């Protein structure tokens, strides 16, 4: 009787099944990573806006209003023009909060983390006594995170422009 000489190894079917299982597991992991990435973006937005508020309060403490950090003799802060910004760009006024390079950088970092097309709005009162910033959240483009000079920090359903009324979060 002749001995059968079987070679050890896997069949083509066995290899295809293993590759299919690995593909299914990889797709599940990638779907989970997208959710985590969006939540990480939201955390970056919130942290940048939190730091912006801290910097704004330091500016307020040194100048008496939300100016550029330069102390002023005008105690009413009437010399400060109204400031507005979109996507982290100031209104060109050198004497308002949004002209400050640190504030601009924090707004730009928050809007970059958002990744949305219309992602950031800033507003300030002409008196220099109040400001607000809202940025679209990455995980939910139908919602924005808003912080203001009153200490508010909250989520708002809608666009960043709708999150702010009279330089305050709605």
């Amino acid at each position: 009787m002749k001995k059968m000489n079987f070679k050890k190894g896997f069949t083509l079917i066995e290899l295809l099944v293993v590759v299919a299982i690995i593909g299914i597991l990889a797709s599940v992991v990638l779907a989970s990573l997208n959710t985590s990435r969006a939540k990480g973006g939201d955390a970056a937005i919130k942290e940048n806006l939190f730091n912006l508020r801290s910097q704004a309060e330091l500016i307020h403490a040194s100048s008496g209003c939300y100016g550029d950090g330069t102390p002023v003799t005008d105690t009413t802060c009437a010399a400060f023009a109204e400031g507005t910004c979109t996507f982290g760009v100031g209104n060109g006024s050198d004497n308002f909060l949004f002209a400050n390079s640190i504030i601009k950088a924090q707004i730009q970092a928050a809007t970059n983390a958002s990744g949305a097309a219309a992602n950031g709005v800033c507003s300030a009162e002409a008196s220099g006594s109040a400001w607000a910033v809202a940025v679209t959240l990455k995980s939910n483009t139908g919602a924005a995170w808003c912080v203001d000079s009153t200490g508010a920090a909250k989520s708002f359903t809608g666009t960043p422009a709708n999150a702010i009324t009279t330089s305050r979060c709605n």
Side-chain angles (χ1 to χ4, degrees):
M1 187 173 201
K2 193 174 181 183
K3 275 189 168 178
M4 302 281 269
N5 197 5
F6 290 104
K7 293 182 179 179
K8 294 182 180 180
F10 297 106
T11 67
L12 181 61
I13 299 294
E14 291 171 328
L15 290 174
L16 288 174
V17 167
V18 168
V19 168
I21 290 171
I22 290 171
I24 291 168
L25 290 174
S27 66
V28 168
V29 167
L30 288 176
S32 297
L33 284 178
N34 283 339
T35 302
S36 297
R37 188 173 293 126
K39 287 181 180 179
D42 286 351
I45 291 164
K46 292 174 183 180
E47 186 63 28
N48 278 303
L49 294 183
F50 175 79
N51 290 336
L52 178 148
R53 183 174 35 207
S54 298
Q55 180 65 25
E57 292 308 314
L58 289 172
I59 290 169
H60 187 272
S62 68
S63 67
C65 55
Y66 296 105
D68 64 355
T70 304
V72 293
T73 55
D74 181 3
T75 57
T76 64
C77 296
F80 290 88
E82 182 173 4
T84 58
C85 69
T86 303
F87 308 108
V89 179
N91 68 341
S93 171
D94 289 335
N95 62 355
F96 205 78
L97 180 72
F98 303 134
N100 181 284
S101 62
I102 296 171
I103 298 292
K104 276 184 171 180
Q106 289 168 326
I107 293 171
Q108 191 62 56
T111 55
N112 288 346
S114 172
N119 55 4
V121 173
C122 309
S123 177
E125 289 182 3
S127 66
S129 62
W131 60 269
V133 177
V135 175
T136 301
L137 292 171
K138 186 171 184 127
S139 65
N140 182 358
T141 55
W145 187 257
C146 185
V147 296
D148 66 20
S149 55
T150 66
K154 57 186 174 180
S155 181
F156 179 82
T157 302
T159 65
N162 294 334
I164 298 173
T165 303
T166 318
S167 301
R168 288 178 178 72
C169 295
N170 287 330

